[in-house]
Amino acid sequence: MQRRAFLAATATSVGAIAGCFGTSNQSLPNDPTGDWRQQAHDSRNTGASDVAIPDRGNQAWDAGDAGSIEPLVADGMVYSVGANATALDAQTGDQEWEYEFSAQTGPTPTVTDNHLLIPAEQQIVALNRSDGSEEWTRSLPRPAEGSLTAGSSIITLSLTGRRGETGLIAYDATTGDRLWGHPTLAARTTAIDDDRVYVTGYLQDGNTGVLRALSTADGSLLWETELDHPDTEPVVANDELLVTDQGTLAVHDPADGTRVRSLGTFGDRLGTPPAVSNGTAFLGTRSQEIVALSIDDGATIWQQSGSATRGI
């Protein structure tokens, strides 16, 4: 995703944007508002925020080193990570600081109150948001597989799959101290809601898909539900869980993991999770369609042709 596309359209994370932006290099009409601190916007993976969209899409500035890693927006700053990490003024693009990496950066980082947290090869690097200074690093057992999720007190990170070893790891969001690990194999990016961490992945047999709820305090298993094929990370929608299972988008009860209802089946595979807002789930299908569904009953609100290969 291009930086300018991201900044112009972050009201729900956009995976594919057609059309061109002007190159008049006019300044943004007003100060950008709202935050986008991590993949899918928040720890619940809703993919929706209250970011205000400028009324025109001209190129206002071009800066940073985003590469293929989506930039993040928080408190009027844009954090762009590639070979270097930079902090940029969201309205002007002026660089506040830069940090040069010696390791290859990986999945989308996350922004907490004090830090920019970046997976880089087999470590997490915590940079001070005010000046880019390195505050701590933590070695990882294996490289990161999914993006960091930041809750109120912990951050979680899924690791590349290896049987018999930790698949998901949690750290203190402030100090970086390791809190716990869990053996979910091929764990997806988690959703964190209050005192629970929700994760999809596989049992250690490598064949049985699961949706799990873990305690944020110690990573202990609270409940587990088997899935056919856990394609993507879970999404917390109000008081329910949305999970893609093979080609089906299903609603689960967060109390015990029971599947409550199906919102529909869309081919044999769903490669990206839905975004959710105000009782509606927005889903990109492999048949090049974008669908809006009622979370209450699965009714189709609207359906459009369009690609969303990076998600909604």
Side-chain angles (χ1 to χ4, degrees):
M1 185 186 299
Q2 297 297 319
R3 286 188 298 275
R4 67 194 68 144
F6 180 86
L7 292 171
T10 45
T12 56
S13 180
V14 176
I17 300 176
C20 298
F21 288 85
T23 56
S24 57
N25 204 34
Q26 296 175 342
S27 62
L28 290 173
N30 45 47
D31 290 335
T33 62
D35 288 350
W36 195 280
R37 292 173 173 252
Q38 55 191 294
Q39 178 174 291
H41 173 247
D42 54 24
S43 64
R44 297 183 174 193
N45 294 328
T46 62
S49 79
D50 59 354
V51 172
I53 305 172
D55 58 5
R56 62 175 184 262
N58 62 276
Q59 178 178 314
W61 52 263
D62 187 359
D65 183 23
S68 61
I69 301 173
E70 295 178 3
L72 300 171
V73 183
D75 303 317
M77 300 296 293
V78 174
Y79 298 95
S80 176
V81 178
N84 300 327
T86 54
L88 310 166
D89 184 283
Q91 185 172 30
T92 66
D94 292 342
Q95 181 175 298
E96 299 291 323
W97 54 256
E98 182 177 38
Y99 176 91
E100 187 173 334
F101 280 95
S102 59
Q104 179 68 41
T105 54
T108 302
T110 192
V111 175
T112 64
D113 289 342
N114 300 312
H115 298 123
L116 173 64
L117 302 172
I118 305 167
E121 293 183 358
Q122 286 191 222
Q123 60 182 345
I124 298 176
V125 179
L127 303 181
N128 187 298
R129 285 180 54 189
S130 63
D131 59 11
S133 59
E134 183 179 309
E135 295 215 344
W136 51 260
T137 61
R138 296 292 180 267
S139 297
L140 299 172
R142 297 185 309 287
E145 177 68 19
S147 297
L148 285 159
T149 304
S152 59
S153 60
I154 70 168
I155 55 174
T156 61
L157 183 64
S158 56
L159 306 176
T160 53
R162 182 180 294 174
R163 294 187 184 183
E165 298 190 20
T166 299
L168 178 68
I169 198 165
Y171 296 91
D172 183 280
T174 301
T175 65
D177 294 338
R178 176 169 169 161
L179 300 177
W180 49 261
H182 195 272
T184 301
L185 185 65
R188 312 295 187 189
T189 298
T190 71
I192 302 176
D193 187 29
D194 296 329
D195 59 352
R196 295 188 175 191
V197 175
Y198 301 104
V199 62
T200 54
Y202 290 86
L203 298 182
Q204 284 292 322
D205 63 13
N207 296 314
T208 307
V210 288
L211 166 65
R212 286 172 163 168
L214 312 175
S215 166
T216 57
D218 57 11
S220 58
L221 180 65
L222 302 177
W223 53 254
E224 173 183 284
T225 296
E226 288 192 9
L227 303 174
D228 291 326
H229 190 94
D231 295 327
T232 66
E233 57 266 29
V235 176
V236 178
N238 298 327
D239 296 323
E240 297 179 305
L241 283 171
L242 268 63
V243 178
T244 62
D245 185 9
Q246 206 149 335
T248 299
L249 178 61
V251 178
H252 291 254
D253 187 340
D256 59 11
T258 304
R259 180 179 287 193
V260 178
R261 59 190 176 278
S262 169
L263 301 185
T265 298
F266 307 88
D268 61 352
R269 186 67 60 85
L270 284 168
T272 58
V276 297
S277 179
N278 297 323
T280 302
F282 302 90
L283 185 68
T285 72
R286 296 184 75 184
S287 59
Q288 304 295 300
E289 291 181 316
I290 299 173
V291 185
L293 305 166
S294 167
I295 296 175
D296 285 339
D297 57 14
T300 298
I301 299 171
W302 54 257
Q303 190 167 336
Q304 298 275 0
S305 296
S307 173
T309 56
R310 293 284 299 275
I312 303 290

